Amino acid sequence: MIRNPILPGFNPDPSICRVGEDYYIATSTFEWYPGVQIHHSRDLANWTLATRPLTRAAQLDMRGNPDSCGIWAPCLSHADGLFWLVYTDVKRLDGAFKDAHNYVVTAPAIDGPWSEPIYVNSSGFDPSLFHDADGRKYFMNVRWNHRGKGTGGNPAHASFDGILLQEWSPDTGLTGPVRNIFDGTARGLTEAPHIFKRDGWYYLTTAEGGTGYDHAVTTARARDIWGPYEVQPGDHLMTCRDAPDHPVQRSGHGQYVEAPDGTGYHTFLMGRPLPGRFCPMGRETGIERVVWQDGWPVLEAGGTLPRSAVPHHSSTQASEPITYDLNAPTLHPDFQWLRTPDSDRIFAATPLGLTLIGRESIGSWFEQALVARRQEHAAYSASTVMSFDPVNYQQAAGLTTYYNRSKFHALMVSHDPTLGRVLTILSCPGDWPEGALTHPIAPVPLNDGPVALRVDVDHETQKFYWRQTGAWTPIGPTLDASAISDEGGRGEHASFTGAFVGMAAFDTSGGARQATFTQFTYVGHDV
């Protein structure tokens, strides 16, 4: 049995490809570094992280990118003995513009080496590359229209101004005419194009309805790659818009793949909203089996609702608690950081532990020392052990549940002019756009020596704990964990990542005070 999501936690916009018996899924990473997650599977049920290919400044530098910008909707394919990865680096979210730059990198193997990027265009986002049987390649992306209402091809949302198609090659770039091949359906917000070919038809898959609860997968087809494209009867291969109690929600944005025996599958973006309709795990990846009827793909079970459990010859294995040895010479691949390719300035893996170098404030869009992993469960515990000796109140380090600069809670060791070394809580429970801090407790004095910090998250609530010796001691009030979600603060249509839990440090005095973390544990309490 395949259990959805197959990629739990923040793993949106799944692009899937098969090479022989191996399947690969690339997902968006937005402002988290390194860029793009690629998972591997042999059975479609169990997936492991294979690589994050965008690892250096020449490929990706997101310093200054706003929250929920950066890597949008990569496309992974395989042709000519190479893996091809197409991706967007979005530099702006607010206002009429997006400033989305599209690139291609290649590699002979999934773990690299990945090439220097080839710039393609900046006309919009969600790029995709189709390799036709005759060897020609075609590049697609959403055209972004900044002009406003009534100026685009789809009346539901003028900014999403159709799917552009143009021939492309790595040697000559874009060539020939660029054409808008699809304006979308009445659902609007048409994006995420992928083309595949079957029985002489070109099939165009798009996502529509936005990335929230109206989301959908839309399929169209044409005999010629340039169109005209006719839309599937009923418009949408899958959508959960009209089934608010279905356990899988927000289904959309995926890609078709066939197994070696011809069985069809379709990945999709999904959410698992908790009571109150909030998604701390963000937008995750699911997969469904599809069959063909009258030349169209349809869900095997009928209707438009993807299943939580898909019958299969393999079973999805439950996740296990994990304790990370932070004395290792490299950072464990479960962890990421924010925006900067120059990671040496914000952390170092040493024999004594993971050292975070305090830089800019928590929530900075440029250079903050925050190393964290995804929340994958509705209820979990996470803990760490830290050594840190601040000398002023501008220096702080500790444990945080984090979504972005306006959605986080942090239990931090800092310094009080009267009390010396103290514990304090810094919280920003969804205050967008100001990002104002609240301080739920008065500073708590600490003894010298290491400090253990813990957070317990249970659906919509969370509680911090600490100890230096003896039993865990609760600290501060029960906090609102629902704010650390897609729907918290600004809301789902501008919050594209997911909740993380991890280690943070800052030093706004400019002194680069260091904190050393020797252990980190994550225990999920549900499956």
Side-chain angles (χ1 to χ4, degrees):
M1 191 76 72
I2 297 175
R3 301 286 180 183
N4 282 322
I6 53 171
L7 302 182
F10 158 52
N11 277 289
D13 311 327
S15 171
I16 189 168
C17 77
R18 178 178 63 84
V19 182
E21 300 287 335
D22 296 286
Y23 298 88
Y24 301 95
I25 290 178
T27 54
S28 301
T29 42
F30 291 82
E31 65 264 36
W32 290 89
Y33 212 95
V36 181
Q37 294 213 122
I38 300 178
H39 284 82
H40 167 255
S41 177
R42 298 274 293 184
D43 64 6
L44 294 172
N46 298 284
W47 297 79
T48 57
L49 182 65
T51 188
R52 294 190 184 104
L54 306 180
T55 60
R56 56 189 187 271
Q59 296 170 323
L60 183 65
D61 188 343
M62 299 182 290
R63 285 174 284 195
N65 284 20
D67 292 328
S68 287
C69 287
I71 297 295
W72 286 19
C75 172
L76 181 67
S77 58
H78 188 269
D80 311 324
L82 294 172
F83 286 94
W84 302 75
L85 181 69
V86 186
Y87 63 97
T88 307
D89 180 8
V90 178
K91 296 297 187 183
R92 178 174 175 177
L93 185 65
D94 291 329
F97 295 96
K98 282 291 178 281
D99 296 324
H101 310 304
N102 295 315
Y103 304 91
V104 178
V105 291
T106 61
I110 200 66
D111 55 356
W114 288 87
S115 70
E116 295 298 284
I118 302 171
Y119 171 75
V120 182
N121 67 13
S122 300
S123 56
F125 49 86
D126 288 8
S128 183
L129 188 62
F130 172 67
H131 309 267
D132 211 343
D134 62 3
R136 299 166 79 177
K137 303 181 188 302
Y138 297 86
F139 192 89
M140 293 160 277
N141 61 270
V142 178
R143 177 165 61 184
W144 184 256
N145 176 15
H146 65 272
R147 298 173 299 167
K149 224 173 210 186
T151 62
N154 188 306
H157 202 300
S159 295
F160 290 73
D161 197 18
I163 304 302
L164 298 187
L165 179 73
Q166 192 170 10
E167 193 169 351
W168 178 87
S169 82
D171 298 322
T172 60
L174 294 168
T175 57
V178 54
R179 298 179 186 172
N180 183 350
I181 61 169
F182 189 62
D183 281 327
T185 73
R187 183 75 60 103
L189 296 148
T190 307
E191 55 187 337
H194 294 294
I195 285 177
F196 64 95
K197 196 173 184 180
R198 189 177 192 274
D199 295 338
W201 290 95
Y202 291 92
Y203 288 88
L204 173 65
T205 299
T206 60
E208 293 196 296
T211 194
Y213 293 92
D214 290 341
H215 213 22
V217 173
T218 301
T219 307
R221 70 180 186 182
R223 285 294 187 185
D224 189 295
I225 195 169
W226 301 104
Y229 282 86
E230 60 173 314
V231 178
Q232 181 169 10
D235 289 352
H236 309 301
L237 171 65
M238 67 177 81
T239 182
C240 301
R241 182 178 71 172
D242 300 321
D245 296 326
H246 190 60
V248 173
Q249 288 292 313
R250 307 172 70 181
S251 59
H253 199 137
Q255 191 173 14
Y256 177 78
V257 70
E258 285 188 357
D261 65 2
T263 305
Y265 293 89
H266 209 291
T267 58
F268 59 94
L269 172 159
M270 61 170 283
R272 290 180 288 165
L274 303 182
R277 234 180 193 203
F278 67 98
C279 295
M281 282 79 78
R283 301 171 306 147
E284 305 171 286
T285 285
I287 197 167
E288 250 293 5
R289 189 177 293 123
V290 299
V291 295
W292 288 85
Q293 292 180 2
D294 302 321
W296 293 103
V298 297
L299 298 186
E300 180 187 54
T304 64
L305 301 179
R307 295 169 288 189
S308 296
V310 179
H312 196 61
H313 60 81
S314 295
S315 294
T316 304
Q317 302 301 307
S319 62
E320 297 289 337
I322 184 167
T323 296
Y324 301 93
D325 177 9
L326 299 183
N327 305 106
T330 58
L331 186 66
H332 191 282
D334 283 354
F335 291 99
Q336 286 184 272
W337 60 96
L338 288 164
R339 294 182 176 84
T340 179
D342 195 0
S343 62
D344 290 347
R345 281 186 53 81
I346 60 172
F347 70 84
T350 78
L352 300 178
L354 179 66
T355 296
L356 297 191
I357 305 163
R359 298 294 182 185
E360 295 176 339
S361 59
I362 187 168
S364 167
W365 287 349
F366 291 86
E367 194 173 54
Q368 65 163 311
L370 189 157
V371 173
R373 57 150 291 159
R374 287 156 175 75
Q375 176 180 343
E376 296 180 0
H377 304 79
Y380 73 90
S381 297
S383 62
T384 191
V385 179
M386 177 186 71
S387 295
F388 182 56
D389 293 305
V391 296
N392 64 62
Y393 67 82
Q394 291 183 302
Q395 300 167 343
L399 178 68
T400 182
T401 56
Y402 185 91
Y403 193 107
N404 60 27
R405 67 159 50 178
S406 65
K407 297 190 279 194
F408 66 85
H409 302 299
L411 177 60
M412 306 291 275
V413 175
S414 189
H415 186 275
D416 182 90
T418 302
L419 301 174
R421 199 170 73 135
V422 294
L423 270 177
T424 187
I425 294 177
L426 306 179
S427 182
C428 186
D431 185 56
W432 180 86
E434 284 79 10
L437 283 180
T438 62
H439 304 272
I441 62 167
V444 175
L446 287 171
N447 295 323
D448 294 338
V451 184
L453 308 175
R454 190 182 96 203
V455 64
D456 290 353
V457 172
D458 186 0
H459 295 75
E460 76 279 5
T461 63
Q462 74 165 73
K463 184 80 174 177
F464 283 120
Y465 299 81
W466 70 284
R467 69 181 180 192
Q468 289 192 283
T469 59
W472 287 103
T473 300
I475 183 170
T478 298
L479 298 170
D480 180 12
S482 71
I484 319 299
S485 71
D486 289 356
E487 293 81 359
R490 190 175 181 182
E492 67 189 50
H493 290 293
S495 300
F496 300 146
T497 56
F500 282 68
V501 60
M503 300 154 281
F506 64 81
D507 186 348
T508 56
S509 74
R513 198 74 170 179
Q514 297 183 4
T516 299
F517 297 79
T518 56
Q519 180 181 300
F520 190 93
T521 300
Y522 178 93
V523 182
H525 299 313
D526 62 337
V527 177

